[in-house]
Structure formats: C-alpha cells, structure tokens
Amino acid sequence: MSGRRAGASENDAGWWRDDAPHQDEYDRDAPYRDDAPRRPYREDALPGPRRGAAQEQPPVPRQGGRAEMRRAQQGRGGDDQPGGRADARRARKKPRSKKKIVVWVAVTTLGLVTAAGGAVYLKLSGNIKSFDGDALSKDRPAAAAPDANGHTPVNILLIGSDSRSGDNKDLGGGQDGGARSDTTILLHVYADHKHAVGVSFPRDALVDVPKCKLPNGSWTKPQTGVMFNSAFSVGNTDEGNPACTQNTVEALTNIRVDHTMVVNFEGFAAMTSAVGGVNVCLPNAIYEKDLNPNLAKKGKLLYPKGQQKVEGQAALDYVRLRHGIGDGSDIGRMKRQQAFLSSLITSIKTNGMSPTNLLPLADAATKSMTVDPGLNSPTKLISFGMGLKDIDLHNIKFLTTPWKFAGERVALLHPDVDQLWQALKADRTLDGQDASASAGASAAPSGDASASAAPTPAAVSGTGIKVGVYNGTVTAGLGTKAAAALTASDFTVTAKTNASSQDHATTLVQYGPGQKADAEQVAKLFPGSTLQSSTRAGISLVLGKDYAAGTVGAASAVPSGPLPTSVAAGARSADDDPCSNVSYG
C-alpha cells in the first residue's frame, strides 16, 4: 500500500517547493528567470548605419596646432589623449563603495523576503478557520497564574474530527453526515516550557456534558451519563462543536483550556506527507478485514508486522485501526495514537523546528484546521509551535485518563483522575515535581487555593446509607465526582442528576425524619456543607458553588504528590521504542 490517497501527489502543497536548486531559500520568489529564451545576437539589430554602408571615421586631430599647444599648457589633452577630458572625468568620478553595494543587495533581498513572507502569511491566513468564541461557557475555571519568572503553563485541547464532509468522506470511509471527535487529547505544556504531557480521553467514556450553544444561537440543557464524544456532535453539523467539547473538558477537569485545535481526516493525512512520513510499529500483520470488519474475506495485506513508515491514507488508517490487535478496544487504539504522535513529534524535531521546516507543515495542517479565536492567525500558530522547540523528547509524555469498565462503556476512575487533574493544575509533573519557578516550590504550591484552603474530610464509613446526589450548579461533572467519593466510602448512591434549581451557593445535606445521624456521616465526607432537615424521607446531597470552587467536601481531598503508580507507569515518552505499549488486552 503506497500510503498516499488518490490525487495526493508530492505537489499537493507545493507552494514552498522548487525543482531547481537555490542557494537562497527565498530566491525562488524573485520574478527574474535565467532559463527564459534569449534573442540571438544580431549585428543588424544594433543602432547605427545599416550593415554594408560605408563607415565614416571620426576626424583625427591635427598634430602641433595652436589649440593643442594651449591644451598642453593647461595640462589637458584631447578626449582620447593621455591627460584629456575623458581622463579628467574618470579621475573626478569616485569609485562606487563596496559597502554601498552590499547594503543595496541586502535591502533588495530583504524586500524579496518580506514579499515572500507576506505571500505565505496571506496563504496561511486564508486556510485558518476559527469557531465562535461566544459558544464557550460563561462559567470557566480561572486562568493559570504565572510563576516567579513570569512564565505560564498552557493547556491545548487537540481534537481529531471524523467529519465525513468533502474529501473527508473518501478518506474516512463513511457516508454519514455530521462530525464526531475520533481523538481528544488535553496537552499540558508546563510553565518551564521544558515538559509537556498529553492526556487522552476515551471517546466512549460516560461523562456529564454541560449546556452548549447550538448553531441557531440557543443553548442545550446539561446532559448526564453520556458518551464523551457526543459533545462534539451537539448541533449535528459537518464542522462539529469544538466549543462544546472544550466546555465539557473544562467541567471535567476544572482546568482552563487556553487553546483548542481541530484537525480533520484530510488535514491529518496532509500533515504526515508534509513531514515525509511517520515511523510506526505493529505487533502483528493487518489485513483489509481488520480495517473493515464487514468484509467477508481476510483481504490483502495492508501492514506487515513490525516497524514501517506510513503517510497520507495509510497513516490515517493506522491511527483509526481497532480490530486485529489486542482486544479491539478504543483503549488499545489510544495507545497507538499516542505512539504515532510521539513519532510525528520526533520527525518534526529531527527535521528542525525552523520556520522553513514548519511552514510546509503549517500549510498542510491549516488547510483542514479549526481553532479557537486566540489562534486564528499564522503568527500566533507559528509562535506557539516555536514555543515548544526546547522540550526534550523524553520530557513529552502521553497517557490515558484513569478509567474502569462500565458495562459496554468505560467510566473515569475516581479519585485517580481527580488527582491527575490536580497535579496538572498545580503544574506538577507525573513524578510529583514542581515544574514552575516559584521559590520554595513544594508538591502543593501555596498559590493553589484548593490545596491549602479546603478542609480535609474525615474517614467515614457509609455502609448501609443511601444518598441521592443532585448538582445544584451549572458546572458539569460535579455529580459524578461526588458520587465517586460516596461510593469509595461505601455509601449507596441512589440517584445522580441535576437539582430542580442550579443556583445553590452552598452545599446541602438534606435528611428526612429519623435520618439525622446518617446525614451527619455524609456531612463528614463533605466538610463545610450544611445540614438541613426535611419532611421527605431519604438523604439528598445538593452540591453548591462552594463545592465547584473546591472549598467544600471531598473534591478537595485529593492527595497531593506523585500520581498513583498505575497512572504514572502507564505513560509513554516521545522517545520510547515505537514498538512498545501499542496494544491492550
């Protein structure tokens, strides 16, 4: 398999290429061409008498006349004589300064470079699309504070869209309309810009999705217990809904997403071709039926076992492959996607992260990219890319959110996932080191209010106590988090949904007649909450804004320091062996 889709030749994005070698990268933009046909020399094309006509000779000055004597006395000769007017003019004319010539060439070259740069800027600007910033939630986590050196961590949401619109239909192999998020990774770039970690979200993880803006300008109601990738499909458009996915990730993590990038099938395939292919590895051979289980026969060999280089369509098929490896789950596919991204980053850094090398990649990517309003110019995109050039491959990590099976789907595993989010928010690496430059940094920086101000819940046993959990805020994911804390302490969760009103400032533990003692056990797990008696039987935990802020309850009880071994050990570095950790089950 060639690995290049039909019509995707090496000249797909050839605006930066030139078949003729040049010493200067930008010479190719000059209008002059030395291979243009030249008119042959013709004597009769010169100005003057026709060929064959008698040529008149100029008169020869008479020797020894009075005029010559005067010229001699004045130190002058004839035009063609030594000491004549021609020599005098040549003597008076100063030789052209070499310095001025160099300056002139430099200015001219700079003008050509500027013109070329302007053309590149306009080209990339025409490629870039951005989504509606007004579709982002009005209730977002606070932005990260800069460290002692003024450096700030950056969180980027990377979304791979499986939109079937346009050329994507041929690449994706589907006919359905709309778009889904095939891959979603939260990339945290630490404040020191020397470490980064990408966290993959299982697309079929059951999560809470907050209210999201529809194309007609209205907003949906929050949803509970739905698949993660359904957030991108809200509105059912070919462009997808990246703002809804960003809102969902911020609600799940309580981490502010600074930028969001969406790349579809076409853009992904073009990017892999722009870098000359990506090295991948498979534990066993893959056939056509593995890529399309609906086929009746095994089909042709698509990928041999072991290492190989893929690009274009072959690269896209590799990262979307599920069947024929391990248990065929999305968990194994995420591992291969992480290995693929590691190899892609390695290729980019090996080629050199100069503007010359990044521009072809930027052109390929931006043709099929949608970004947030904060990245909607070539300058911002290239500046962002150059800001990552000093990160060593070993310090770029990838892992999957802690998870567990939930029937045919998966669920995020608490409190492990909460500890992961807290570590990233505090700018701690996976081994618990503080990557900021704050003086006297510790595992729990003093600037993290949630780590210092929140009360610590006591050890509680909830055996035999039933509790309904109700989210009394517009912040999605709180019910799931609180329910997990209750379950971990042996309470039985009977309900998990939104409260009748979502403007509760404080967290309440409501209880019916004779249930105060049990309600007090719940309140111990959520210190700072308020007990409230009711005439209705049962115990209800109504979560307020104080819980969302992390100043109440089990949300603040996440241990600090290094992550659990099960989480940190599952991470891969960008310089790991491409054949390691590429399957599950």
Side-chain angles (χ1 to χ4, degrees), residues 433-512:
Q433 299 301 309
D434 186 357
S436 69
S438 55
S442 63
S446 59
D448 187 347
S450 65
S452 58
T456 303
V460 176
S461 174
T463 303
I465 302 175
K466 298 180 180 179
V467 184
V469 180
Y470 302 90
N471 188 352
T473 75
V474 294
T475 303
L478 296 186
T480 300
K481 188 178 298 184
L486 288 164
T487 302
S489 294
D490 297 325
F491 289 89
T492 300
V493 177
T494 57
K496 182 171 68 73
T497 186
N498 292 321
S500 56
S501 64
Q502 295 181 292
D503 57 356
H504 287 263
T506 59
T507 298
L508 304 175
V509 180
Q510 299 173 334
Y511 60 93

Side-chain angles (χ1 to χ4, degrees), residues 134-138 211-214 217-221 247:
D134 290 337
L136 295 176
S137 173
K138 303 300 184 288
K211 62 179 183 179
C212 293
K213 189 176 182 180
L214 295 171
S218 63
W219 291 75
T220 65
K221 294 181 178 179
N247 293 342

